[in-house]
Short mmCIF file of all heavy atoms in Angstrom, two decimals:
data_model
loop_
_atom_site.label_atom_id
_atom_site.label_comp_id
_atom_site.label_asym_id
_atom_site.label_seq_id
_atom_site.Cartn_x
_atom_site.Cartn_y
_atom_site.Cartn_z
N LEU A 1 146.40 -23.89 161.35
CA LEU A 1 146.13 -23.96 162.78
C LEU A 1 145.41 -22.71 163.25
O LEU A 1 145.74 -21.59 162.86
CB LEU A 1 147.43 -24.11 163.56
CG LEU A 1 148.16 -25.44 163.44
CD1 LEU A 1 149.48 -25.38 164.20
CD2 LEU A 1 147.30 -26.57 163.98
N LYS A 2 144.40 -22.93 164.09
CA LYS A 2 143.74 -21.81 164.75
C LYS A 2 144.63 -21.36 165.90
O LYS A 2 145.55 -22.07 166.29
CB LYS A 2 142.38 -22.27 165.30
CG LYS A 2 141.36 -22.61 164.24
CD LYS A 2 140.06 -23.01 164.93
CE LYS A 2 139.02 -23.44 163.95
NZ LYS A 2 137.77 -23.88 164.60
N PRO A 3 144.36 -20.20 166.48
CA PRO A 3 145.18 -19.74 167.62
C PRO A 3 145.19 -20.71 168.79
O PRO A 3 146.17 -20.76 169.53
CB PRO A 3 144.51 -18.42 168.01
CG PRO A 3 143.83 -17.94 166.78
CD PRO A 3 143.42 -19.18 166.03
N ASP A 4 144.12 -21.53 168.91
CA ASP A 4 144.10 -22.48 170.03
C ASP A 4 144.82 -23.79 169.69
O ASP A 4 144.89 -24.70 170.51
CB ASP A 4 142.66 -22.77 170.46
CG ASP A 4 141.84 -23.47 169.39
OD1 ASP A 4 142.35 -23.67 168.26
OD2 ASP A 4 140.69 -23.85 169.69
N GLY A 5 145.37 -23.91 168.47
CA GLY A 5 146.14 -25.09 168.08
C GLY A 5 145.36 -26.16 167.34
O GLY A 5 145.92 -27.17 166.95
N SER A 6 144.06 -25.94 167.12
CA SER A 6 143.26 -26.93 166.40
C SER A 6 143.25 -26.62 164.89
O SER A 6 143.49 -25.49 164.48
CB SER A 6 141.84 -26.96 166.95
OG SER A 6 141.22 -25.71 166.75
N LEU A 7 142.95 -27.64 164.08
CA LEU A 7 142.91 -27.48 162.62
C LEU A 7 141.53 -27.02 162.16
O LEU A 7 140.52 -27.32 162.79
CB LEU A 7 143.24 -28.81 161.93
CG LEU A 7 144.68 -29.26 161.96
CD1 LEU A 7 144.82 -30.65 161.36
CD2 LEU A 7 145.56 -28.30 161.20
N THR A 8 141.49 -26.34 161.01
CA THR A 8 140.22 -25.86 160.45
C THR A 8 139.84 -26.66 159.21
O THR A 8 139.41 -26.11 158.22
CB THR A 8 140.31 -24.38 160.07
OG1 THR A 8 141.36 -24.22 159.11
CG2 THR A 8 140.54 -23.50 161.26
N ASP A 9 140.01 -27.96 159.25
CA ASP A 9 139.63 -28.78 158.09
C ASP A 9 138.22 -29.33 158.28
O ASP A 9 137.66 -29.26 159.36
CB ASP A 9 140.62 -29.93 157.88
CG ASP A 9 140.58 -30.94 159.01
OD1 ASP A 9 140.23 -30.56 160.13
OD2 ASP A 9 140.90 -32.11 158.75
N LYS A 10 137.66 -29.82 157.18
CA LYS A 10 136.36 -30.46 157.29
C LYS A 10 136.32 -31.65 156.34
O LYS A 10 137.10 -31.73 155.39
CB LYS A 10 135.22 -29.48 157.01
CG LYS A 10 135.08 -29.05 155.56
CD LYS A 10 133.86 -28.16 155.41
CE LYS A 10 133.57 -27.93 153.94
NZ LYS A 10 132.41 -27.10 153.71
N LYS A 11 135.41 -32.57 156.60
CA LYS A 11 135.27 -33.77 155.77
C LYS A 11 134.06 -33.61 154.86
O LYS A 11 133.02 -33.13 155.28
CB LYS A 11 135.09 -35.00 156.66
CG LYS A 11 136.30 -35.38 157.45
CD LYS A 11 136.09 -36.70 158.17
CE LYS A 11 137.29 -37.10 158.98
NZ LYS A 11 138.42 -37.52 158.21
N VAL A 12 134.24 -34.00 153.59
CA VAL A 12 133.14 -34.01 152.63
C VAL A 12 133.09 -35.38 151.98
O VAL A 12 134.08 -36.13 151.98
CB VAL A 12 133.29 -32.91 151.54
CG1 VAL A 12 133.24 -31.53 152.15
CG2 VAL A 12 134.56 -33.10 150.75
N ALA A 13 131.94 -35.71 151.40
CA ALA A 13 131.79 -36.99 150.71
C ALA A 13 132.76 -37.04 149.53
O ALA A 13 132.83 -36.11 148.73
CB ALA A 13 130.36 -37.17 150.24
N PHE A 14 133.50 -38.14 149.42
CA PHE A 14 134.51 -38.27 148.37
C PHE A 14 133.88 -38.31 146.99
O PHE A 14 134.43 -37.76 146.03
CB PHE A 14 135.34 -39.53 148.61
CG PHE A 14 136.39 -39.78 147.55
CD1 PHE A 14 137.51 -38.97 147.48
CD2 PHE A 14 136.24 -40.80 146.63
CE1 PHE A 14 138.47 -39.19 146.50
CE2 PHE A 14 137.19 -41.03 145.66
CZ PHE A 14 138.31 -40.22 145.59
N ALA A 15 132.72 -38.94 146.85
CA ALA A 15 132.10 -39.15 145.54
C ALA A 15 131.89 -37.84 144.79
O ALA A 15 132.08 -37.78 143.58
CB ALA A 15 130.77 -39.89 145.70
N ARG A 16 131.48 -36.80 145.48
CA ARG A 16 131.21 -35.52 144.83
C ARG A 16 132.23 -34.44 145.22
O ARG A 16 131.96 -33.25 145.10
CB ARG A 16 129.79 -35.06 145.15
CG ARG A 16 128.76 -35.97 144.52
CD ARG A 16 127.40 -35.36 144.46
NE ARG A 16 126.48 -36.26 143.79
CZ ARG A 16 126.24 -36.24 142.48
NH1 ARG A 16 126.84 -35.38 141.72
NH2 ARG A 16 125.39 -37.11 141.94
N SER A 17 133.41 -34.88 145.63
CA SER A 17 134.46 -33.91 145.97
C SER A 17 135.13 -33.41 144.69
O SER A 17 135.13 -34.09 143.65
CB SER A 17 135.51 -34.55 146.88
OG SER A 17 136.24 -35.53 146.17
N GLU A 18 135.70 -32.24 144.76
CA GLU A 18 136.38 -31.66 143.61
C GLU A 18 137.53 -32.55 143.15
O GLU A 18 137.76 -32.71 141.95
CB GLU A 18 136.88 -30.25 143.96
CG GLU A 18 137.47 -29.51 142.78
CD GLU A 18 137.84 -28.08 143.12
OE1 GLU A 18 137.23 -27.48 144.03
OE2 GLU A 18 138.75 -27.56 142.46
N THR A 19 138.23 -33.14 144.08
CA THR A 19 139.35 -34.02 143.76
C THR A 19 138.88 -35.23 142.95
O THR A 19 139.46 -35.55 141.91
CB THR A 19 140.02 -34.51 145.06
OG1 THR A 19 140.43 -33.39 145.82
CG2 THR A 19 141.20 -35.40 144.77
N HIS A 20 137.85 -35.88 143.41
CA HIS A 20 137.33 -37.06 142.73
C HIS A 20 136.75 -36.70 141.36
O HIS A 20 136.98 -37.40 140.36
CB HIS A 20 136.28 -37.76 143.60
CG HIS A 20 135.80 -39.04 143.04
ND1 HIS A 20 134.49 -39.29 142.78
CD2 HIS A 20 136.47 -40.17 142.66
CE1 HIS A 20 134.34 -40.51 142.27
NE2 HIS A 20 135.54 -41.06 142.20
N LEU A 21 135.99 -35.61 141.28
CA LEU A 21 135.40 -35.20 140.02
C LEU A 21 136.47 -34.83 138.99
O LEU A 21 136.31 -35.11 137.80
CB LEU A 21 134.43 -34.04 140.24
CG LEU A 21 133.16 -34.40 141.02
CD1 LEU A 21 132.38 -33.13 141.38
CD2 LEU A 21 132.29 -35.37 140.24
N THR A 22 137.55 -34.22 139.45
CA THR A 22 138.65 -33.89 138.54
C THR A 22 139.28 -35.16 137.98
O THR A 22 139.56 -35.25 136.77
CB THR A 22 139.72 -33.04 139.26
OG1 THR A 22 139.09 -31.85 139.76
CG2 THR A 22 140.85 -32.67 138.34
N GLU A 23 139.47 -36.16 138.83
CA GLU A 23 140.00 -37.45 138.36
C GLU A 23 139.06 -38.09 137.35
O GLU A 23 139.51 -38.62 136.33
CB GLU A 23 140.18 -38.41 139.54
CG GLU A 23 141.36 -38.11 140.42
CD GLU A 23 141.43 -39.08 141.61
OE1 GLU A 23 140.75 -40.13 141.59
OE2 GLU A 23 142.16 -38.76 142.56
N LEU A 24 137.77 -38.06 137.62
CA LEU A 24 136.80 -38.66 136.72
C LEU A 24 136.79 -37.95 135.37
O LEU A 24 136.69 -38.60 134.32
CB LEU A 24 135.40 -38.63 137.33
CG LEU A 24 135.16 -39.51 138.55
CD1 LEU A 24 133.74 -39.32 139.07
CD2 LEU A 24 135.43 -40.97 138.24
N LEU A 25 136.88 -36.62 135.39
CA LEU A 25 136.86 -35.85 134.14
C LEU A 25 138.07 -36.16 133.27
O LEU A 25 137.98 -36.08 132.04
CB LEU A 25 136.81 -34.35 134.43
CG LEU A 25 135.42 -33.75 134.58
CD1 LEU A 25 135.52 -32.27 134.87
CD2 LEU A 25 134.57 -33.99 133.35
N GLU A 26 139.19 -36.48 133.89
CA GLU A 26 140.40 -36.78 133.11
C GLU A 26 140.21 -38.01 132.23
O GLU A 26 140.81 -38.11 131.17
CB GLU A 26 141.59 -36.97 134.04
CG GLU A 26 142.08 -35.68 134.65
CD GLU A 26 143.21 -35.89 135.65
OE1 GLU A 26 143.72 -37.03 135.77
OE2 GLU A 26 143.58 -34.91 136.31
N GLY A 27 139.38 -38.96 132.66
CA GLY A 27 139.22 -40.18 131.89
C GLY A 27 137.86 -40.40 131.28
O GLY A 27 137.62 -41.42 130.64
N VAL A 28 136.95 -39.43 131.44
CA VAL A 28 135.58 -39.64 130.98
C VAL A 28 135.49 -39.82 129.47
O VAL A 28 134.67 -40.60 128.97
CB VAL A 28 134.64 -38.50 131.47
CG1 VAL A 28 134.89 -37.21 130.72
CG2 VAL A 28 133.19 -38.91 131.34
N CYS A 29 136.32 -39.16 128.72
CA CYS A 29 136.23 -39.23 127.25
C CYS A 29 136.76 -40.55 126.69
O CYS A 29 136.50 -40.87 125.53
CB CYS A 29 136.95 -38.05 126.62
SG CYS A 29 136.15 -36.47 127.05
N ASN A 30 137.51 -41.31 127.50
CA ASN A 30 137.99 -42.60 127.03
C ASN A 30 136.86 -43.60 126.82
O ASN A 30 137.01 -44.56 126.08
CB ASN A 30 139.02 -43.17 128.01
CG ASN A 30 140.28 -42.34 128.05
OD1 ASN A 30 140.63 -41.68 127.08
ND2 ASN A 30 140.95 -42.35 129.19
N SER A 31 135.74 -43.40 127.47
CA SER A 31 134.61 -44.32 127.33
C SER A 31 133.74 -44.00 126.12
O SER A 31 132.74 -44.69 125.88
CB SER A 31 133.77 -44.31 128.60
OG SER A 31 133.22 -43.03 128.80
N MET A 32 134.09 -43.00 125.33
CA MET A 32 133.28 -42.65 124.16
C MET A 32 133.34 -43.73 123.08
O MET A 32 132.50 -43.75 122.19
CB MET A 32 133.72 -41.31 123.57
CG MET A 32 133.48 -40.12 124.49
SD MET A 32 131.77 -39.89 124.95
CE MET A 32 131.87 -40.01 126.72
N SER A 33 134.31 -44.64 123.17
CA SER A 33 134.35 -45.75 122.20
C SER A 33 133.24 -46.77 122.47
O SER A 33 133.00 -47.65 121.65
CB SER A 33 135.72 -46.44 122.24
OG SER A 33 135.97 -46.92 123.54
N ASP A 34 132.54 -46.63 123.60
CA ASP A 34 131.41 -47.50 123.92
C ASP A 34 130.10 -46.95 123.38
O ASP A 34 129.04 -47.49 123.68
CB ASP A 34 131.28 -47.67 125.44
CG ASP A 34 132.47 -48.41 126.04
OD1 ASP A 34 133.19 -49.08 125.29
OD2 ASP A 34 132.66 -48.31 127.26
N TYR A 35 130.15 -45.88 122.61
CA TYR A 35 128.96 -45.23 122.07
C TYR A 35 128.99 -45.31 120.54
O TYR A 35 130.04 -45.34 119.92
CB TYR A 35 128.90 -43.76 122.49
CG TYR A 35 128.61 -43.57 123.96
CD1 TYR A 35 129.60 -43.76 124.92
CD2 TYR A 35 127.35 -43.20 124.38
CE1 TYR A 35 129.33 -43.59 126.27
CE2 TYR A 35 127.07 -43.03 125.73
CZ TYR A 35 128.07 -43.22 126.66
OH TYR A 35 127.79 -43.06 127.99
N ALA A 36 127.80 -45.34 119.95
CA ALA A 36 127.67 -45.34 118.50
C ALA A 36 126.42 -44.57 118.12
O ALA A 36 125.52 -44.35 118.95
CB ALA A 36 127.60 -46.76 117.96
N LEU A 37 126.34 -44.18 116.85
CA LEU A 37 125.19 -43.44 116.36
C LEU A 37 123.97 -44.35 116.35
O LEU A 37 124.01 -45.46 115.83
CB LEU A 37 125.46 -42.90 114.96
CG LEU A 37 124.42 -41.94 114.39
CD1 LEU A 37 124.32 -40.69 115.25
CD2 LEU A 37 124.79 -41.57 112.97
N TYR A 38 122.89 -43.87 116.95
CA TYR A 38 121.66 -44.64 117.08
C TYR A 38 120.54 -43.87 116.38
O TYR A 38 120.41 -42.66 116.55
CB TYR A 38 121.32 -44.84 118.56
CG TYR A 38 120.00 -45.52 118.81
CD1 TYR A 38 119.90 -46.90 118.77
CD2 TYR A 38 118.86 -44.79 119.10
CE1 TYR A 38 118.70 -47.54 119.01
CE2 TYR A 38 117.65 -45.42 119.35
CZ TYR A 38 117.58 -46.80 119.30
OH TYR A 38 116.39 -47.42 119.53
#
């Protein structure tokens, strides 16, 4: 809270947010079974 009682938050696009990217990174290596040597 600021001294006047308002919040200091802001909105960002979810697609490129740190939270979303962290979730994506946790499962990104599971899709490596869809790749083969070419």
Side-chain angles (χ1 to χ4, degrees):
L1 289 176
K2 292 181 183 178
D4 65 355
S6 62
L7 286 175
T8 59
D9 66 333
K10 71 176 190 179
K11 292 187 180 288
V12 296
F14 178 72
R16 293 196 177 269
S17 68
E18 186 175 333
T19 303
H20 186 237
L21 291 171
T22 302
E23 285 177 15
L24 293 178
L25 272 179
E26 288 176 7
V28 73
C29 296
N30 293 333
S31 63
M32 295 301 121
S33 58
D34 294 342
Y35 290 77
L37 188 62
Y38 175 83

